[in-house]
Amino acid sequence: MSGNYVINIGRQLGSGGKEIGEKLAARLGINFYDKELITLVAKESGFSEEFISQNEQKMPSALLYQMIMQDYEAPLDKSLSYDDALFVAQSRVIRRLATEKPCVIVGRCADYILRDRPHTINIFLFGDMKSKTERVIAEYGISPAQAPGKITQVDKSCLLYTSPSPRDGLLS
């Protein structure tokens, strides 16, 4: 693959998206972004890293998506909720990174944000509930009783605006 390309990895919680993304980026010799986006968004938006970490899984409304796609340069304080402003800030950082150099981005609706961008590959990772639960317990320290509910909650919010296209790939 030539040119400035971006590989977006959408995933269900616990499906191994971070691990696969890191390995793919290392093998290709390109930048990898997952939690690193929290720091970048904090620097550019003025939000604290703690606020971003606690709120980044919340999805803004479909109306906000349309607004962003039409005018993503609008000031963040223009009648947006904090959650919506956070999404706009993340969108700006993701768009900027995509123009700078090839990279792998995990999550954060990057597939949607960059959906019209050429040289973009979208991959979606999923897994069975048993495997995802084991991974979430081991990697995130979520209790066995809470893990299935957390997985369902995060997966539902992340899939609301996912719309596969013929060029997207699915891996399990």
Side-chain angles (χ1 to χ4, degrees), residues 119-149:
H119 307 295
T120 301
I121 298 169
N122 297 317
I123 299 170
F124 186 78
L125 303 175
F126 60 94
D128 63 89
M129 184 58 88
K130 181 179 183 284
S131 299
K132 293 188 305 182
T133 300
E134 290 170 0
R135 183 181 287 273
V136 164
I137 292 167
E139 289 189 21
Y140 303 112
I142 297 175
S143 75
Q146 293 177 327

Side-chain angles (χ1 to χ4, degrees), residues 14 33 48 56-57 59 86 143 147 166:
Y33 298 102
S48 71
E56 68 178 349
Q57 293 294 343
M59 297 294 292
L86 172 58
S143 75

Side-chain angles (χ1 to χ4, degrees), residues 46-132:
F47 290 122
S48 71
E49 289 187 31
E50 181 180 10
F51 173 80
I52 295 168
S53 293
Q54 291 174 352
N55 292 282
E56 68 178 349
Q57 293 294 343
K58 296 178 183 177
M59 297 294 292
S61 67
L63 180 62
L64 176 66
Y65 279 113
Q66 294 308 314
M67 181 193 77
I68 291 165
M69 298 317 293
Q70 293 171 8
D71 183 16
Y72 65 90
E73 293 297 326
L76 292 181
D77 60 355
K78 255 197 162 173
S79 69
L80 295 177
S81 71
Y82 284 118
D83 293 337
D84 293 347
L86 172 58
F87 182 78
V88 172
Q90 283 186 331
S91 297
R92 289 177 180 171
V93 170
I94 288 168
R95 288 174 196 260
R96 180 180 52 76
L97 294 172
T99 63
E100 291 178 352
K101 55 185 139 186
C103 61
V104 173
I105 300 173
V106 174
R108 286 151 187 90
C109 301
D111 60 332
Y112 187 87
I113 294 163
L114 301 174
R115 74 184 188 282
D116 295 325
R117 187 187 179 283
H119 307 295
T120 301
I121 298 169
N122 297 317
I123 299 170
F124 186 78
L125 303 175
F126 60 94
D128 63 89
M129 184 58 88
K130 181 179 183 284
S131 299
K132 293 188 305 182

Side-chain angles (χ1 to χ4, degrees), residues 11 16-23 32 34-35 106 125 140:
R11 80 282 186 235
K18 178 181 179 183
E19 181 181 348
I20 291 169
E22 286 175 325
K23 289 179 178 180
F32 170 79
D34 183 19
K35 296 291 183 188
V106 174
L125 303 175
Y140 303 112

